[in-house]
């Protein structure tokens, strides 16, 4: 039975809290901005991420109708993007669960800020969030923590998730592992608008998350794919001041150089007196700000991260979907230029996509996508 008094109080607290995250001048946003200053991400990227994580949470928070889960859930968070920490805290609170929030070593303060905010919001969310810190893979410590949770939600690579499953009670682990996303540009699309939208999805977090397109299929000829690649390079240049590239380490610099070398072998040949087929951005601290290459049609390429994009021509959406299908369960999102028609939705969902959205929205998933409120409401994986 649902305790409507408690449910209403919980929803009211979370709606007030979500509004604070959307307010640039709130105590939570100011504290998060300061905590992430001089960290991995430039301030402009931090601000964009914080602005978007709970932008559409109100509808989901207000719509959730279920008895309080009254579980203790352990969430093991990623360090590659900003957002899952805040989303996990609000999903758990919406479900009525207590949350042990284990931060990545790359970002250790958002959990403390959320816990302080929940205290300020008051009952029934006050006291429900406990920040946790330990070195990932510390099996002795995890042997003490895992039994305290009825459910474990873990973000990370597949090996990390399998390791947690091996040591946790059977059926208690919900994992969000490695995945890849692609883009699709139908013929007749507004190329200027499409390249601007795709540039945002590529630039935010420098493709370190699984929702950023690494391969974009363009319906039409080789020349149309090349034209899109050229436009994307211009859009990435224009976007750089508002979403600067993060500092690249030596391994990333070497990977980008190798990506460029391979492009010179695989790229479409440039036509005489026409655009080239490899577009390399300006140097930033020893690495290209971005690289866009046009290649012949084939299955999606997943060159890792660093604003590296392959553009491929395709016959139509069905051919692009058949190519995407080769990713199997690793296929996450498909970003479409322009409106997502029912036909395109059906074609890409049939290929295994978990989500089909407009280009420009790939890095702005709806609240409750990864993770979901239901992840914190059930003791066993559904």
């Amino acid at each position: 039975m649902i305790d409507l008094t408690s449910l209403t109080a919980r929803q009211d607290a979370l709606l007030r809290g979500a509004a604070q995250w959307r307010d640039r001048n709130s105590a939570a946003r100011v504290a998060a901005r300061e905590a992430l200053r001089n960290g991995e991400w430039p301030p402009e990227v931090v601000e964009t991420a914080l602005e978007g994580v709970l932008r559409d949470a109100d509808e989901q928070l207000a719509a959730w109708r279920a008895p309080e889960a009254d579980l203790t859930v352990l969430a093991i968070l990623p360090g590659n993007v900003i957002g899952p920490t805040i989303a996990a805290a609000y999903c758990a609170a919406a479900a009525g669960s207590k949350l042990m929030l284990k931060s990545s070593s790359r970002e250790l303060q958002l959990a403390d800020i959320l816990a302080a905010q929940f205290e300020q919001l008051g009952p029934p969310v006050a006291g429900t969030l406990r920040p946790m810190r330990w070195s990932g893979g510390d099996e002795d410590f995890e042997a003490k923590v895992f039994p305290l949770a009825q459910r474990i939600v873990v973000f990370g690579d597949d090996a990390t998730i399998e390791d947690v499953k091996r040591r946790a009670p059977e059926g208690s682990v919900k994992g969000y592992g490695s995945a890849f996303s692609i883009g699709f540009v139908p013929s007749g699309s507004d190329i200027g608008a499409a390249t601007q939208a795709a540039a945002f999805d590529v630039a935010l977090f420098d493709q370190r998350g699984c929702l950023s397109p690494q391969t974009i299929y363009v319906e039409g000829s080789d020349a149309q794919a090349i034209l899109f690649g050229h436009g994307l390079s211009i859009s990435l240049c224009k976007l750089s001041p508002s979403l600067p590239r993060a500092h690249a380490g030596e391994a990333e610099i070497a990977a980008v150089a190798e990506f460029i070398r391979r492009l010179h072998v695989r790229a479409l040949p440039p036509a005489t007196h026409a655009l080239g087929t490899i577009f390399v951005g300006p140097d930033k601290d020893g690495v290209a700000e971005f690289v866009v290459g046009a290649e012949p049609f084939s299955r999606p390429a997943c060159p890792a991260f660093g604003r590296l994009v392959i553009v491929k021509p395709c016959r139509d959406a069905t051919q692009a979907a058949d190519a995407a299908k080769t990713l199997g369960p690793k296929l996450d999102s498909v970003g479409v230029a322009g409106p997502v028609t029912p036909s395109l939705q059906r074609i890409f969902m049939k290929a295994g996509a978990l989500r089909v959205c407009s280009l420009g929205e790939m890095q702005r998933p709806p609240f409750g996508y990864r993770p979901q409120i239901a992840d914190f409401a059930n003791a066993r994986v559904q």
Side-chain angles (χ1 to χ4, degrees), residues 271-282:
T272 306
H273 305 303
L275 294 172
T277 57
I278 300 174
F279 310 96
V280 180

Side-chain angles (χ1 to χ4, degrees), residues 129-152:
L129 195 162
R130 178 185 174 189
M132 304 285 287
R133 294 190 181 100
W134 71 84
S135 297
D138 185 338
E139 295 194 11
D140 290 338
F141 189 86
E142 291 174 347
K144 301 173 184 176
V145 175
F146 285 3
L148 301 177
Q150 287 85 51
R151 190 76 191 274
I152 301 175

Side-chain angles (χ1 to χ4, degrees), residues 349-363:
M349 294 295 282
K350 186 177 179 181
L354 301 179
R355 170 175 165 251
V356 182
C357 64
S358 295
L359 277 175
E361 294 296 318
M362 297 181 73
Q363 293 276 44

Side-chain angles (χ1 to χ4, degrees), residues 312-338:
K312 299 173 184 275
C314 66
R315 183 183 64 249
D316 52 23
T318 298
Q319 188 182 42
D322 287 343
K325 192 175 182 179
T326 63
L327 292 171
K330 296 295 184 186
L331 176 61
D332 192 294
S333 296
V334 176
V336 175

Side-chain angles (χ1 to χ4, degrees), residues 287-358:
V287 66
E289 281 199 346
F290 62 82
V291 183
V292 179
E295 293 186 1
F297 173 81
S298 62
R299 60 170 291 168
C302 303
F305 57 84
R307 306 191 183 190
L308 311 178
V309 188
I310 298 294
V311 178
K312 299 173 184 275
C314 66
R315 183 183 64 249
D316 52 23
T318 298
Q319 188 182 42
D322 287 343
K325 192 175 182 179
T326 63
L327 292 171
K330 296 295 184 186
L331 176 61
D332 192 294
S333 296
V334 176
V336 175
V340 179
T341 64
S343 175
L344 290 174
Q345 177 89 16
R346 183 172 58 254
I347 288 170
F348 286 110
M349 294 295 282
K350 186 177 179 181
L354 301 179
R355 170 175 165 251
V356 182
C357 64
S358 295

Side-chain angles (χ1 to χ4, degrees), residues 235-249:
S235 292
L236 284 167
C237 266
K238 291 180 177 178
L239 190 62
S240 182
S242 57
L243 283 180
R245 195 189 198 287
H247 176 77

Side-chain angles (χ1 to χ4, degrees), residues 141-358:
F141 189 86
E142 291 174 347
K144 301 173 184 176
V145 175
F146 285 3
L148 301 177
Q150 287 85 51
R151 190 76 191 274
I152 301 175
V153 179
V154 55
F155 291 78
D157 59 33
D158 294 344
T160 297
I161 293 171
E162 288 305 313
D163 182 58
V164 171
K165 286 182 176 179
R166 176 179 60 83
R167 294 181 287 114
E170 184 178 356
S172 67
V173 177
K174 171 66 175 182
Y176 288 100
S178 303
F180 304 100
S181 297
I182 69 163
F184 175 69
V185 182
S187 62
S189 296
D190 181 330
I191 296 301
T195 59
Q196 290 173 30
F200 178 85
D201 288 330
V202 169
L204 188 62
F205 304 127
D206 298 342
Q207 298 174 304
R208 283 171 169 80
C210 61
L211 304 181
S212 183
Q214 300 189 348
T215 296
I216 299 176
Y217 290 96
V218 177
E219 185 176 23
S221 65
D222 291 358
Q224 287 168 305
I226 293 168
L227 182 63
F228 181 88
H230 175 66
L232 179 57
S233 71
I234 293 173
S235 292
L236 284 167
C237 266
K238 291 180 177 178
L239 190 62
S240 182
S242 57
L243 283 180
R245 195 189 198 287
H247 176 77
E250 291 184 6
E252 184 176 345
I253 292 173
V256 171
E258 176 63 13
F259 178 72
I260 295 172
R261 187 191 69 77
R262 288 176 179 269
L263 266 182
H264 282 286
V265 176
R266 299 176 180 176
L268 288 165
T272 306
H273 305 303
L275 294 172
T277 57
I278 300 174
F279 310 96
V280 180
D283 182 275
K284 180 180 179 182
D285 301 327
V287 66
E289 281 199 346
F290 62 82
V291 183
V292 179
E295 293 186 1
F297 173 81
S298 62
R299 60 170 291 168
C302 303
F305 57 84
R307 306 191 183 190
L308 311 178
V309 188
I310 298 294
V311 178
K312 299 173 184 275
C314 66
R315 183 183 64 249
D316 52 23
T318 298
Q319 188 182 42
D322 287 343
K325 192 175 182 179
T326 63
L327 292 171
K330 296 295 184 186
L331 176 61
D332 192 294
S333 296
V334 176
V336 175
V340 179
T341 64
S343 175
L344 290 174
Q345 177 89 16
R346 183 172 58 254
I347 288 170
F348 286 110
M349 294 295 282
K350 186 177 179 181
L354 301 179
R355 170 175 165 251
V356 182
C357 64
S358 295

